[in-house]
């Protein structure tokens, strides 16, 4: 079967699968009051349901999978999920986004079962600022886990930092020092408005292009984008081992290169992080014999994907906060 493609010619080899909405951090831009479960909410997809879901997407050409949350390491069967995903024919890149709290304890186990790429949320290299943003004084341990991943030869190690005006947006010099000798990437992500963060967004949103201008003026050069890459514009500099990526969702034509779909922890297909609807796939994940119906359902929805999001108009869709869909 031909790979998934929409009416604008975009292909979708990349799936972001949330495995749990819960998170053990209290990041000011996402869950400032911590995660509070809805007692009426459905349970996250089971391992057999996840397996069937991934088989359906690989039939449609998906070969890059990113496991997200919430915080995926909150799930006690995370290693089983990774092992199962790595064994699905067609998946060649198995990535995960995590806050890194279990990295020093679980890294080698995750690598042993098939993880070959990791993004760790590190919003600041300043211990006090990091604790202020996340609600946890864990920076030293998390950065030790990052160094462990580099030493272990994990093929792709990246850090994610959400840019926040008057909080961490003047820390580029410390990041450059960090990147000089470390072969990893840092992704600076422009703060996005969600359903419940409008006052915070107005106080702390800063355009990522400001940072890009600084990079270009300092001799950093933009790199070509791989077909299955994430949304970052990536930069390199001959004097630095590491690279810098900029994720600027409010920039012109940001959605033109969209190559990813999302599935929530309870099995809803989201065509866009800020879309107005979800398509429930869970009823089609109950038996192996439903594979053809699942593939047909996924393929039939791609035509509904919009050309772009509507964040410029203040429309955030049904995403209350980033933990709910996996960011």
């Amino acid at each position: 079967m031909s790979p998934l493609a929409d009416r604008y010619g975009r292909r979708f080899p990349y799936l972001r699968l949330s495995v749990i909405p819960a998170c053990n951090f209290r990041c000011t831009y996402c869950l400032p009051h911590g995660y509070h479960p809805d007692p009426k909410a459905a349970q996250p997809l089971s391992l057999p349901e996840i397996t069937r879901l991934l088989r359906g997407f690989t039939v449609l050409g998906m070969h890059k999978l990113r496991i997200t949350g919430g915080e995926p390491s909150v799930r006690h069967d995370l290693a089983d999920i990774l092992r199962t995903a790595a064994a699905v024919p067609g998946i060649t890149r198995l990535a995960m986004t995590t806050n890194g709290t279990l990295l020093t304890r679980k890294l080698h186990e995750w690598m042993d079962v098939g993880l070959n790429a990791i993004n760790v949320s590190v919003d600041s290299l300043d211990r006090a600022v990091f604790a202020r943003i996340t609600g946890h004084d864990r920076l030293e341990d998390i950065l030790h886990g990052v160094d462990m991943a580099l030493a272990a030869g994990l093929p792709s190690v990246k850090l994610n930092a959400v840019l926040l005006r008057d909080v961490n947006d003047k820390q580029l010099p410390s990041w450059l020092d960090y990147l000089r000798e470390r072969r990893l990437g840092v992704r600076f992500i422009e703060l996005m408005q969600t359903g419940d963060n409008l006052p915070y967004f107005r106080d702390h949103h800063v355009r990522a292009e400001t940072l890009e201008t600084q990079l270009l003026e300092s001799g950093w050069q933009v790199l070509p984008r791989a077909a299955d890459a994430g949304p970052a514009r990536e930069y390199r500099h001959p004097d630095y081992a590491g690279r810098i990526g900029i994720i600027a969702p409010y920039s012109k034509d940001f959605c033109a290169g969209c190559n990813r779909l999302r599935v929530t922890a309870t099995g809803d297909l989201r065509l866009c992080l800020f879309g107005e609807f979800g398509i429930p796939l869970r009823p089609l994940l109950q038996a192996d014999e439903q594979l053809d119906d699942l593939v047909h359902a996924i393929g039939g929805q791609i035509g509904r994907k919009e050309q772009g999001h509507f964040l410029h108009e203040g429309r955030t869709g049904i995403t209350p906060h980033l933990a709910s869909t996996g960011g």
Side-chain angles (χ1 to χ4, degrees):
M1 183 174 290
S2 299
L4 281 176
D6 68 5
R7 52 188 163 155
Y8 305 106
R10 298 174 296 191
R11 295 183 180 272
F12 302 94
Y14 178 10
L15 175 67
R16 297 177 62 100
L17 171 62
S18 172
V19 295
I20 192 167
C23 185
N24 50 3
F25 269 18
R26 301 187 302 276
C27 294
T28 53
Y29 55 82
C30 185
L31 291 172
H33 306 296
Y35 174 74
H36 298 283
D38 179 354
K40 298 179 182 178
Q43 291 298 306
L45 295 179
S46 67
L47 192 58
E49 289 173 323
I50 289 172
T51 304
R52 294 176 187 124
L53 177 81
L54 298 182
R55 288 174 180 164
F57 272 96
T58 55
V59 167
L60 290 163
M62 183 272 289
H63 60 82
K64 177 180 178 180
L65 172 67
R66 179 172 298 279
I67 300 297
T68 69
E71 168 49 41
S73 65
V74 171
R75 270 193 75 148
H76 299 302
D77 61 347
L78 176 60
D80 294 328
I81 293 173
L82 295 173
R83 181 184 296 106
T84 298
V88 173
I91 295 179
T92 58
R93 189 171 184 84
L94 178 56
M96 182 169 71
T97 297
T98 174
N99 60 29
T101 52
L102 292 184
L103 204 52
T104 56
R105 291 168 47 192
K106 296 290 188 177
L107 170 67
H108 294 291
E109 178 185 0
W110 295 339
M111 291 180 64
D112 287 345
V113 297
L115 185 72
N116 51 36
I118 197 165
N119 284 45
V120 184
S121 298
V122 179
D123 292 310
S124 177
L125 294 174
D126 181 291
R127 180 176 171 181
V129 174
F130 179 88
R132 173 186 167 192
I133 294 172
T134 66
H136 289 269
D137 185 10
R138 300 288 299 275
L139 178 63
E140 183 176 344
D141 181 61
I142 292 168
L143 291 180
H144 178 53
V146 172
D147 286 337
M148 285 177 57
L150 293 172
L154 190 65
S156 176
V157 181
K158 298 174 184 176
L159 307 185
N160 293 343
V162 177
L163 289 172
L164 304 171
R165 186 174 66 225
D166 299 330
V167 179
N168 66 356
D169 60 324
K170 301 295 191 295
Q171 298 181 349
L172 183 59
S174 62
W175 281 111
L176 294 179
D177 289 342
Y178 184 80
L179 288 172
R180 191 173 294 277
E181 305 295 336
R182 290 179 173 85
R183 293 190 178 279
L184 52 70
V186 174
R187 298 288 188 264
F188 293 110
I189 304 170
E190 189 173 343
L191 178 66
M192 292 168 273
Q193 182 186 342
T194 58
D196 63 4
N197 78 345
L198 180 57
Y200 188 93
F201 175 81
R202 288 173 171 165
D203 287 342
H204 296 293
H205 178 250
V206 57
R207 292 299 295 262
E209 284 98 331
T210 303
L211 186 57
E212 286 189 279
T213 299
Q214 295 178 48
L215 293 174
L216 291 170
E217 290 175 349
S218 301
W220 289 76
Q221 298 178 325
V222 68
L223 295 169
R225 183 172 180 264
D228 66 349
R233 291 192 291 267
E234 193 169 31
Y235 292 81
R236 69 178 176 186
H237 192 290
D239 295 340
Y240 294 86
R243 296 179 176 182
I244 292 176
I246 303 293
I247 298 178
Y250 291 86
S251 63
K252 186 176 183 295
D253 296 328
F254 175 76
C255 298
C258 183
N259 62 357
R260 58 206 170 277
L261 300 171
R262 291 173 167 81
V263 173
T264 69
T266 55
D268 280 6
L269 171 63
R270 297 284 178 86
L271 302 178
C272 175
L273 176 59
F274 297 102
E276 303 285 350
F277 58 89
I279 301 102
L281 299 179
R282 191 169 212 166
L284 300 175
L285 304 176
Q286 303 311 303
D288 294 345
E289 293 74 21
Q290 295 176 289
L291 178 61
D292 289 345
D293 291 337
L294 173 64
V295 169
H296 180 75
I298 297 169
Q301 293 297 326
I302 297 304
R304 301 176 67 188
K305 186 170 174 65
E306 298 282 0
Q307 188 171 15
H309 60 61
F310 299 95
L311 289 177
H312 294 90
E313 302 171 15
R315 291 167 55 187
T316 61
I318 56 174
T319 299
H321 49 74
L322 296 177
S324 67
T325 313

